[in-house]
Amino acid sequence: MDLAFIPSPSVGVVHLGPIPLRGYAFCIIIGVFVGVWLGNKRWIQRGGRSGTVADIAVWAVPFGLVGGRLYHVITTYEPYFGKNGHPLDAFKVWEGGLGIWGAVALGAVGAWIGCRRRGIPMPAYADALAPGLALGQAIGRWGNWFNQELYGKPTDVPWALKISSDPAIGRIGGTYHPTFLYECLWCIGVAALVIWADKRFRLGHGRAFALYVAAYCAGRAWIEYMRVDEAHHILGLRLNVWTALIVFVLAVVYFVVSAKRAPGREEVVEPGALEERAAAEAAAAESAGSDSDAATEADGADGGDGAEAPAGKAAAAKSAAEAEAEDGPEAVDPAASPADADAKPAGSGSTKKS
């Protein structure tokens, strides 16, 4: 008896009237938004404009969806073009079936078109987007949970995934390794690794992206080996395992060669972005300085004419009154000349001249 397991949703789609809300599609959409959001933050930190990542994603995302679907249909063609296959089902993306290899490959073509149109170096854009791609994949993998697909071998571990039986598609109920969860956690780790390495070593010229690809492939190889869904095998290994190994080697080679040929990081990633930011900061500083000067002048005017002058007059009047009280009304005028003082009769109580 299983004491603990991860339950699967009873349904993968909820109908809001005539509109179907599919969990798989929501996971893909949320993953895209998270990837673009993080990529935009990193792009700004690298010296680019806000919004550029989203503008280029308008090209990359559709290309990526098409590429992911093409890879899946080509490598798993039997349900669509095999015996008793249904070719039109190849367009039903919402039912699952997006190959990450095709998505990244054709998505890169779309990103290259967007970068080309804006005069942006493609490697710099890829570096900024790399951790976001990993997080987007982590979220997107939960779409497999909604569809109860791509799970691993049978197991009774406490974190096993409970799969319901479905004779219509030949699915046998039981508890299996939740490979979708393994890949989700691995992708989160890959994102953290790339962010750390990028800050620590200032990766540039596509090396952050190469690190993401190599790290993802290392995890995908062993996770793919655990899966039990149908797949083509070459020399005893699943096709996706071979793909992961080949892409891993290519990513490592690119990382090493790039580090030797173009060390360091790009100084400029988007033409004119740094100048615009500097001008905006200067204008903001000038505006703040003008406001500060105006406030200082207003405070000076209020303090000099409205407060200090009356206080000064009052103090002068008080001093004069104290002097008169001390010396009497016949005190010598400080402005009187020495001659006037000499002309004053001895013992006279008046300062008036005769």
Side-chain angles (χ1 to χ4, degrees):
M1 179 178 180
D2 296 322
L3 299 179
F5 56 83
I6 301 173
S8 291
S10 57
V11 293
V13 57
V14 176
H15 288 83
L16 185 61
I19 302 175
L21 304 177
R22 302 181 183 278
Y24 184 89
F26 270 111
C27 291
I28 298 297
I29 293 171
I30 295 172
V32 170
F33 273 101
V34 170
V36 171
W37 168 78
L38 181 57
N40 183 67
K41 289 178 65 69
R42 287 173 51 81
W43 184 250
I44 294 173
Q45 293 172 356
R46 293 286 297 273
R49 296 186 181 92
S50 176
T52 296
V53 170
D55 292 342
I56 297 177
V58 171
W59 288 90
V61 171
F63 274 76
L65 290 175
V66 173
R69 189 60 176 176
L70 283 175
Y71 181 88
H72 168 75
V73 172
I74 292 173
T75 57
T76 314
Y77 63 88
E78 290 85 359
Y80 313 106
F81 303 105
K83 185 178 181 180
N84 299 323
H86 302 280
L88 292 180
D89 287 350
F91 297 96
K92 296 180 179 180
V93 180
W94 55 87
E95 293 184 353
L98 291 175
I100 186 60
W101 317 108
V104 172
L106 207 55
V109 175
W112 177 82
I113 294 174
C115 289
R116 181 85 172 179
R117 290 168 60 89
R118 300 188 66 126
I120 291 173
M122 175 69 179
Y125 179 82
D127 283 342
L129 200 61
L133 283 175
L135 284 182
Q137 288 175 242
I139 297 171
R141 272 304 172 194
W142 284 85
N144 302 135
W145 177 67
F146 279 100
N147 285 355
Q148 297 195 49
E149 61 183 1
L150 307 186
Y151 41 85
K153 299 175 182 178
T155 183
D156 58 356
V157 295
W159 57 87
L161 177 66
K162 180 70 173 180
I163 296 295
S164 60
S165 62
D166 188 348
I169 59 176
R171 189 171 66 199
I172 302 175
T175 54
Y176 300 84
H177 276 288
T179 51
F180 84 92
L181 181 60
Y182 298 160
E183 187 165 338
C184 171
L185 296 176
W186 184 268
C187 286
I188 293 175
V190 170
L193 171 66
V194 174
I195 291 174
W196 171 81
D198 196 24
K199 289 183 178 180
R200 176 67 177 81
F201 303 104
R202 291 183 57 82
L203 302 177
H205 302 282
R207 287 188 289 278
F209 184 81
L211 177 60
Y212 145 71
V213 172
Y216 171 75
C217 289
R220 179 62 185 269
W222 66 266
I223 294 172
E224 182 73 24
Y225 186 76
M226 297 179 65
R227 283 168 43 172
V228 295
D229 54 297
E230 293 184 4
H232 296 284
H233 288 71
I234 300 176
L235 299 178
L237 292 179
R238 292 166 65 95
L239 175 61
N240 282 335
V241 174
W242 282 108
T243 303
L245 293 175
I246 294 172
V247 175
F248 172 84
V249 172
L250 293 176
V252 172
V253 170
Y254 177 88
F255 190 99
V256 174
V257 173
S258 173
K260 292 182 178 180
R261 298 185 60 179
R265 178 185 287 179
E266 301 91 339
E267 295 296 332
V268 178
V269 297
E270 187 167 4
L274 293 177
E275 291 78 1
E276 289 181 6
R277 185 177 302 176
E281 292 176 354
E286 183 178 354
S287 176
S290 300
D291 294 342
S292 177
D293 292 342
T296 302
E297 292 177 1
D299 292 342
D302 292 342
D305 297 336
E308 292 183 3
K313 292 179 180 179
K318 181 178 180 182
S319 298
E322 291 175 351
E324 184 175 354
E326 181 180 353
D327 297 335
E330 297 177 357
V332 178
D333 185 356
S337 64
D340 293 338
D342 293 339
K344 179 181 178 181
S348 171
S350 174
T351 60
K352 292 182 179 179
K353 296 181 182 179
S354 57

